[in-house]
PDB file of all heavy atoms in Angstrom:
ATOM      1  N   THR C  86      33.027  -8.989 -34.715  1.00 97.00           N
ATOM      2  CA  THR C  86      31.939  -9.898 -35.097  1.00 97.00           C
ATOM      3  C   THR C  86      31.660  -9.812 -36.592  1.00 97.00           C
ATOM      4  O   THR C  86      31.424 -10.840 -37.249  1.00 97.00           O
ATOM      5  CB  THR C  86      30.673  -9.581 -34.273  1.00 97.00           C
ATOM      6  OG1 THR C  86      31.005  -9.665 -32.884  1.00 97.00           O
ATOM      7  CG2 THR C  86      29.562 -10.574 -34.557  1.00 97.00           C
ATOM      8  N   ALA C  87      31.716  -8.609 -37.153  1.00 97.00           N
ATOM      9  CA  ALA C  87      31.499  -8.457 -38.598  1.00 97.00           C
ATOM     10  C   ALA C  87      32.552  -9.240 -39.384  1.00 97.00           C
ATOM     11  O   ALA C  87      32.236  -9.919 -40.373  1.00 97.00           O
ATOM     12  CB  ALA C  87      31.532  -6.981 -38.982  1.00 97.00           C
ATOM     13  N   LEU C  88      33.805  -9.179 -38.938  1.00 97.00           N
ATOM     14  CA  LEU C  88      34.881  -9.896 -39.634  1.00 97.00           C
ATOM     15  C   LEU C  88      34.798 -11.402 -39.388  1.00 97.00           C
ATOM     16  O   LEU C  88      35.052 -12.192 -40.290  1.00 97.00           O
ATOM     17  CB  LEU C  88      36.246  -9.346 -39.204  1.00 97.00           C
ATOM     18  CG  LEU C  88      36.525  -7.928 -39.711  1.00 97.00           C
ATOM     19  CD1 LEU C  88      37.720  -7.321 -38.983  1.00 97.00           C
ATOM     20  CD2 LEU C  88      36.750  -7.911 -41.217  1.00 97.00           C
ATOM     21  N   ARG C  89      34.413 -11.800 -38.182  1.00 97.00           N
ATOM     22  CA  ARG C  89      34.214 -13.227 -37.907  1.00 97.00           C
ATOM     23  C   ARG C  89      33.174 -13.796 -38.881  1.00 97.00           C
ATOM     24  O   ARG C  89      33.354 -14.865 -39.461  1.00 97.00           O
ATOM     25  CB  ARG C  89      33.740 -13.414 -36.463  1.00 97.00           C
ATOM     26  CG  ARG C  89      33.474 -14.865 -36.092  1.00 97.00           C
ATOM     27  CD  ARG C  89      32.578 -15.010 -34.894  1.00 97.00           C
ATOM     28  NE  ARG C  89      31.233 -14.491 -35.160  1.00 97.00           N
ATOM     29  CZ  ARG C  89      30.188 -14.669 -34.361  1.00 97.00           C
ATOM     30  NH1 ARG C  89      30.328 -15.352 -33.236  1.00 97.00           N
ATOM     31  NH2 ARG C  89      29.011 -14.164 -34.653  1.00 97.00           N
ATOM     32  N   ASP C  90      32.069 -13.056 -39.061  1.00 96.00           N
ATOM     33  CA  ASP C  90      30.999 -13.528 -39.955  1.00 96.00           C
ATOM     34  C   ASP C  90      31.449 -13.500 -41.419  1.00 96.00           C
ATOM     35  O   ASP C  90      31.178 -14.435 -42.175  1.00 96.00           O
ATOM     36  CB  ASP C  90      29.740 -12.672 -39.772  1.00 96.00           C
ATOM     37  CG  ASP C  90      29.132 -12.840 -38.375  1.00 96.00           C
ATOM     38  OD1 ASP C  90      29.543 -13.774 -37.652  1.00 96.00           O
ATOM     39  OD2 ASP C  90      28.262 -12.025 -38.004  1.00 96.00           O
ATOM     40  N   PHE C  91      32.179 -12.453 -41.809  1.00 95.00           N
ATOM     41  CA  PHE C  91      32.622 -12.322 -43.198  1.00 95.00           C
ATOM     42  C   PHE C  91      33.576 -13.463 -43.587  1.00 95.00           C
ATOM     43  O   PHE C  91      33.464 -14.046 -44.665  1.00 95.00           O
ATOM     44  CB  PHE C  91      33.303 -10.964 -43.406  1.00 95.00           C
ATOM     45  CG  PHE C  91      33.881 -10.796 -44.783  1.00 95.00           C
ATOM     46  CD1 PHE C  91      33.066 -10.635 -45.895  1.00 95.00           C
ATOM     47  CD2 PHE C  91      35.258 -10.813 -44.972  1.00 95.00           C
ATOM     48  CE1 PHE C  91      33.605 -10.499 -47.171  1.00 95.00           C
ATOM     49  CE2 PHE C  91      35.805 -10.669 -46.248  1.00 95.00           C
ATOM     50  CZ  PHE C  91      34.969 -10.516 -47.349  1.00 95.00           C
ATOM     51  N   TYR C  92      34.515 -13.786 -42.682  1.00 95.00           N
ATOM     52  CA  TYR C  92      35.496 -14.845 -42.973  1.00 95.00           C
ATOM     53  C   TYR C  92      35.006 -16.236 -42.560  1.00 95.00           C
ATOM     54  O   TYR C  92      35.738 -17.209 -42.709  1.00 95.00           O
ATOM     55  CB  TYR C  92      36.825 -14.544 -42.282  1.00 95.00           C
ATOM     56  CG  TYR C  92      37.597 -13.400 -42.911  1.00 95.00           C
ATOM     57  CD1 TYR C  92      37.624 -12.139 -42.327  1.00 95.00           C
ATOM     58  CD2 TYR C  92      38.309 -13.589 -44.096  1.00 95.00           C
ATOM     59  CE1 TYR C  92      38.333 -11.087 -42.904  1.00 95.00           C
ATOM     60  CE2 TYR C  92      39.019 -12.548 -44.679  1.00 95.00           C
ATOM     61  CZ  TYR C  92      39.033 -11.301 -44.084  1.00 95.00           C
ATOM     62  OH  TYR C  92      39.738 -10.267 -44.652  1.00 95.00           O
ATOM     63  N   LYS C  93      33.766 -16.297 -42.022  1.00 95.00           N
ATOM     64  CA  LYS C  93      33.165 -17.580 -41.598  1.00 95.00           C
ATOM     65  C   LYS C  93      34.060 -18.316 -40.597  1.00 95.00           C
ATOM     66  O   LYS C  93      34.388 -19.500 -40.748  1.00 95.00           O
ATOM     67  CB  LYS C  93      32.852 -18.472 -42.807  1.00 95.00           C
ATOM     68  CG  LYS C  93      31.849 -17.827 -43.771  1.00 95.00           C
ATOM     69  CD  LYS C  93      31.531 -18.733 -44.947  1.00 95.00           C
ATOM     70  CE  LYS C  93      30.392 -18.204 -45.800  1.00 95.00           C
ATOM     71  NZ  LYS C  93      30.586 -16.811 -46.289  1.00 95.00           N
ATOM     72  N   VAL C  94      34.461 -17.590 -39.572  1.00 96.00           N
ATOM     73  CA  VAL C  94      35.354 -18.126 -38.543  1.00 96.00           C
ATOM     74  C   VAL C  94      34.519 -18.593 -37.342  1.00 96.00           C
ATOM     75  O   VAL C  94      33.736 -17.808 -36.818  1.00 96.00           O
ATOM     76  CB  VAL C  94      36.352 -17.029 -38.080  1.00 96.00           C
ATOM     77  CG1 VAL C  94      37.218 -17.538 -36.938  1.00 96.00           C
ATOM     78  CG2 VAL C  94      37.212 -16.561 -39.246  1.00 96.00           C
ATOM     79  N   PRO C  95      34.688 -19.848 -36.905  1.00 96.00           N
ATOM     80  CA  PRO C  95      34.019 -20.267 -35.665  1.00 96.00           C
ATOM     81  C   PRO C  95      34.542 -19.422 -34.495  1.00 96.00           C
ATOM     82  O   PRO C  95      35.727 -19.061 -34.468  1.00 96.00           O
ATOM     83  CB  PRO C  95      34.440 -21.730 -35.500  1.00 96.00           C
ATOM     84  CG  PRO C  95      35.025 -22.144 -36.812  1.00 96.00           C
ATOM     85  CD  PRO C  95      35.523 -20.910 -37.479  1.00 96.00           C
ATOM     86  N   THR C  96      33.679 -19.127 -33.530  1.00 96.00           N
ATOM     87  CA  THR C  96      34.093 -18.295 -32.390  1.00 96.00           C
ATOM     88  C   THR C  96      35.301 -18.894 -31.670  1.00 96.00           C
ATOM     89  O   THR C  96      36.162 -18.170 -31.175  1.00 96.00           O
ATOM     90  CB  THR C  96      32.906 -18.100 -31.421  1.00 96.00           C
ATOM     91  OG1 THR C  96      31.841 -17.471 -32.154  1.00 96.00           O
ATOM     92  CG2 THR C  96      33.273 -17.201 -30.256  1.00 96.00           C
ATOM     93  N   ALA C  97      35.399 -20.218 -31.644  1.00 96.00           N
ATOM     94  CA  ALA C  97      36.532 -20.871 -30.970  1.00 96.00           C
ATOM     95  C   ALA C  97      37.854 -20.647 -31.704  1.00 96.00           C
ATOM     96  O   ALA C  97      38.917 -20.987 -31.187  1.00 96.00           O
ATOM     97  CB  ALA C  97      36.271 -22.369 -30.826  1.00 96.00           C
ATOM     98  N   ARG C  98      37.812 -20.065 -32.911  1.00 97.00           N
ATOM     99  CA  ARG C  98      39.054 -19.722 -33.626  1.00 97.00           C
ATOM    100  C   ARG C  98      39.329 -18.223 -33.600  1.00 97.00           C
ATOM    101  O   ARG C  98      40.136 -17.729 -34.381  1.00 97.00           O
ATOM    102  CB  ARG C  98      38.971 -20.202 -35.079  1.00 97.00           C
ATOM    103  CG  ARG C  98      39.171 -21.690 -35.189  1.00 97.00           C
ATOM    104  CD  ARG C  98      39.546 -22.073 -36.600  1.00 97.00           C
ATOM    105  NE  ARG C  98      39.709 -23.508 -36.697  1.00 97.00           N
ATOM    106  CZ  ARG C  98      40.393 -24.114 -37.647  1.00 97.00           C
ATOM    107  NH1 ARG C  98      40.969 -23.412 -38.600  1.00 97.00           N
ATOM    108  NH2 ARG C  98      40.502 -25.414 -37.662  1.00 97.00           N
ATOM    109  N   VAL C  99      38.657 -17.518 -32.713  1.00 98.00           N
ATOM    110  CA  VAL C  99      38.950 -16.096 -32.506  1.00 98.00           C
ATOM    111  C   VAL C  99      39.886 -15.997 -31.303  1.00 98.00           C
ATOM    112  O   VAL C  99      39.678 -16.655 -30.281  1.00 98.00           O
ATOM    113  CB  VAL C  99      37.653 -15.297 -32.239  1.00 98.00           C
ATOM    114  CG1 VAL C  99      37.968 -13.836 -31.923  1.00 98.00           C
ATOM    115  CG2 VAL C  99      36.703 -15.395 -33.435  1.00 98.00           C
ATOM    116  N   VAL C 100      40.947 -15.192 -31.432  1.00 98.00           N
ATOM    117  CA  VAL C 100      41.902 -14.979 -30.334  1.00 98.00           C
ATOM    118  C   VAL C 100      41.960 -13.481 -30.045  1.00 98.00           C
ATOM    119  O   VAL C 100      42.262 -12.693 -30.940  1.00 98.00           O
ATOM    120  CB  VAL C 100      43.327 -15.451 -30.716  1.00 98.00           C
ATOM    121  CG1 VAL C 100      44.264 -15.296 -29.526  1.00 98.00           C
ATOM    122  CG2 VAL C 100      43.332 -16.881 -31.235  1.00 98.00           C
TER     123      VAL C 100
END
Side-chain angles (χ1 to χ4, degrees):
T86 304
L88 290 166
R89 179 200 65 169
D90 294 348
F91 176 71
Y92 288 103
K93 299 181 172 54
V94 176
T96 301
R98 284 199 181 201
V99 176
V100 184

